[in-house]
């Protein structure tokens, strides 16, 4: 067996013994699967489905003419203030 070293070059070949996997070659019994999932330490974190607002929903709101939520800058807005003025003076233009 060989692996890649830190620089991506193969390491020297080393003799190894491989053990056969201890897995099933058949579908898992539904009761065993349910028990395994509920006993997982991650079950409490991922068991509850969360339906967050998607990007599609946000864009649909914007296109429908609804007001942007507070604290969020509209997408595609031209720069304002000193930075925009500097860009215009240098010939950079707005939105380039």
């Amino acid at each position: 067996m060989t692996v890649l070293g830190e620089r991506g070059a193969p390491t020297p070949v080393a003799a190894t013994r491989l053990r056969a996997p201890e897995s099933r070659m058949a579908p898992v019994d539904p009761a065993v699967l349910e028990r395994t999932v509920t006993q997982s330490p991650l079950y409490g974190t991922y068991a509850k489905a969360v339906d967050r607002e998607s990007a599609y929903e946000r864009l649909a709101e914007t296109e429908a003419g609804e007001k942007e939520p507070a604290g969020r800058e509209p997408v595609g807005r031209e720069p304002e203030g000193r930075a925009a003025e500097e860009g215009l003076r240098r010939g950079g233009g707005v939105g380039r």
Side-chain angles (χ1 to χ4, degrees), residues 3-91:
V3 296
L4 294 179
E6 292 176 5
R7 295 183 178 209
T11 59
V13 177
T16 59
R17 291 186 182 185
L18 297 178
R19 239 174 93 176
E22 295 179 9
S23 62
R24 297 176 59 124
M25 297 302 289
V28 177
D29 181 38
V32 173
L33 178 62
E34 183 67 27
R35 184 176 18 146
T36 305
V37 168
T38 56
Q39 290 177 352
S40 169
L42 299 175
Y43 181 74
T45 304
Y46 296 104
K48 183 180 175 186
V50 177
D51 185 22
R52 294 190 177 103
E53 184 180 23
S54 69
Y56 175 80
E57 292 168 337
R58 288 182 183 178
L59 289 172
E61 285 177 6
T62 304
E63 288 178 2
E66 294 182 13
K67 183 181 175 187
E68 281 288 322
R72 207 183 301 156
E73 191 72 23
V75 178
R77 192 170 181 180
E78 293 182 355
E80 296 177 2
R82 258 177 116 175
E85 292 172 11
E86 286 293 320
L88 289 173
R89 273 190 256 147
R90 292 184 192 161

